[in-house]
Amino acid sequence: MKSNTRRKFIKKASILPIGLTLGNTPLERTYSSQGNLPLDSSTSKIKLSLNAWSYNIPLFNYMKGNAGGMSLFELLEECARLDFDAVDPTGYFFPGYPEVPKTYFINDFKRRAFQLGLDISGTGIRTDFATANKKRRMADVELTKQWIEVAARMGAPVIRVFAGHRPEEHTWDEAAVWVSDALAECAEHGKQHGVLVGVQNHGGMLTNADEILKILSMAQSDWLGSIVDTGFFMSPNPYADIERVIPHAVNWQVKDLLQDRKGGEIDLSKLVNIIKASNYRGYLPIETLPIPGKEDEYDAYKRVPILLANLRKALA
């Protein structure tokens, strides 16, 4: 009851402009007072993972029965060949999505990843909690709950979701209540199954640190955090946003291009310095995407090793 009362109180802050404080307490402090890092953590610990979306073209080709396809099991082989620590298999590529995969498939995938020395750093699904249609919102909440249970069976500690896009006829603050309510309900289910819910800044409702921090403070759950998408901070200084959000990071998507691929290449040395200064401990999944205007030239088999090598160099 106390947590629900507290959440309702915090939601009243939605009438405040983004970036203002709750009472005399900054939003960062309000949420991070729960503490996401161990008190004795004095250094960052990074494990490199691959977000499966990097290979979405061959993965979808496989699902369609087209030439040049790649199965999820072949994706595991590729991750092992590149010596990743882990893999982040997006739910879209499992047979029958959005339906949950069969138990035998989950178990076979988990076994093969273990044999190849790969952790499963997380998984993700497509959601829209900002829609004005409550029936659709609740359907996505139910979908998330189902995939939380898939993540638990697969051994994935985090499930990645989207906040969604604000309807034009509603304000950001109105939609923020719907989003935070949905996230809080999903996080409660995640708590029951030992799976963290991570909301990704992927345009729509979440384009900067202020918006992310406000949503997290409204939902108020130890089982909810941020998927830090380095490529989708649409503010003038993405690195400043990243630095502010890191205390709430439960996973990442490190992309080679900034601001929805329109802001040039990421400065990995600068990013790594920010991460190390934050003492973040966990996975850094990477994701490559086509360069705008050069979609036909995109080749994940070439781009992924380049980003991986550059990130390893920056970490070293």
Side-chain angles (χ1 to χ4, degrees), residues 120-271:
I120 299 175
S121 61
T123 188
I125 58 174
R126 187 180 290 111
T127 57
D128 183 357
F129 298 133
T131 175
N133 187 320
K134 184 176 181 180
K135 185 175 180 180
R136 285 175 51 195
R137 291 201 308 271
M138 297 314 297
D140 277 0
V141 168
E142 182 58 32
L143 177 69
T144 304
K145 290 180 179 180
Q146 293 173 5
W147 277 86
I148 282 171
E149 295 176 25
V150 171
R153 297 204 301 273
M154 192 162 48
V158 179
I159 186 167
R160 181 176 62 258
V161 297
F162 297 145
H165 291 265
R166 176 183 63 83
E168 291 184 1
E169 64 274 19
H170 292 277
T171 67
W172 190 95
D173 288 324
E174 287 174 329
V177 174
W178 303 332
V179 172
S180 59
D181 279 345
L183 289 172
E185 184 171 342
C186 292
E188 182 61 29
H189 196 72
K191 178 180 178 180
Q192 305 306 316
H193 293 273
V195 175
L196 287 154
V197 175
V199 60
Q200 179 181 346
N201 55 296
H202 196 263
M205 287 287 293
L206 303 181
T207 62
N208 58 56
D210 282 335
E211 292 169 345
I212 295 168
L213 293 170
K214 190 163 187 181
I215 289 291
L216 294 178
S217 70
M218 290 171 69
Q220 284 292 304
S221 173
D222 291 333
W223 288 85
L224 174 68
S226 171
I227 303 290
V228 186
D229 185 338
T230 63
F232 255 101
F233 286 100
M234 308 306 290
S235 59
N237 187 352
Y239 300 100
D241 285 85
I242 291 169
E243 189 170 9
R244 290 178 61 199
V245 172
I246 285 181
H248 320 294
V250 294
N251 222 323
W252 291 67
Q253 284 195 10
V254 176
K255 295 176 177 174
D256 46 2
L257 301 173
L258 294 170
Q259 296 173 317
D260 193 18
R261 297 173 285 173
K262 300 170 186 174
E265 292 187 9
I266 191 170
D267 185 336
L268 289 173
S269 295
K270 187 172 185 177
L271 176 68

Side-chain angles (χ1 to χ4, degrees), residues 6-175:
R6 186 183 184 198
R7 189 177 301 132
K8 289 178 181 177
F9 169 77
I10 291 174
K11 285 189 191 303
K12 293 180 181 179
S14 64
I15 62 174
L16 296 174
I18 295 294
L20 292 186
T21 61
L22 300 176
N24 295 318
T25 307
L27 287 174
E28 289 93 332
R29 190 180 303 170
T30 300
Y31 182 71
S32 63
S33 64
Q34 300 175 41
N36 289 345
L37 289 173
L39 293 177
D40 61 351
S41 174
S42 58
T43 58
S44 64
K45 180 178 177 62
I46 303 301
K47 293 176 281 187
L48 299 180
S49 180
L50 172 77
N51 187 286
W53 185 259
S54 301
Y55 291 86
N56 74 89
I57 296 173
L59 285 166
F60 278 132
N61 278 335
Y62 177 84
M63 295 175 71
K64 297 174 183 177
N66 297 337
M70 167 192 266
S71 71
L72 278 175
F73 290 90
E74 289 169 330
L75 177 71
L76 291 177
E77 301 285 344
E78 180 72 355
C79 287
R81 185 183 72 81
L82 295 172
D83 200 26
F84 276 100
D85 299 306
V87 63
D88 185 324
T90 316
Y92 321 151
F93 306 121
F94 283 83
Y97 180 87
E99 297 296 324
V100 300
K102 302 295 184 183
T103 299
Y104 78 85
F105 189 93
I106 297 172
N107 290 345
D108 284 349
F109 184 83
K110 182 178 179 180
R111 176 179 62 87
R112 187 59 182 147
F114 176 76
Q115 289 174 336
L116 293 170
L118 294 167
D119 296 339
I120 299 175
S121 61
T123 188
I125 58 174
R126 187 180 290 111
T127 57
D128 183 357
F129 298 133
T131 175
N133 187 320
K134 184 176 181 180
K135 185 175 180 180
R136 285 175 51 195
R137 291 201 308 271
M138 297 314 297
D140 277 0
V141 168
E142 182 58 32
L143 177 69
T144 304
K145 290 180 179 180
Q146 293 173 5
W147 277 86
I148 282 171
E149 295 176 25
V150 171
R153 297 204 301 273
M154 192 162 48
V158 179
I159 186 167
R160 181 176 62 258
V161 297
F162 297 145
H165 291 265
R166 176 183 63 83
E168 291 184 1
E169 64 274 19
H170 292 277
T171 67
W172 190 95
D173 288 324
E174 287 174 329

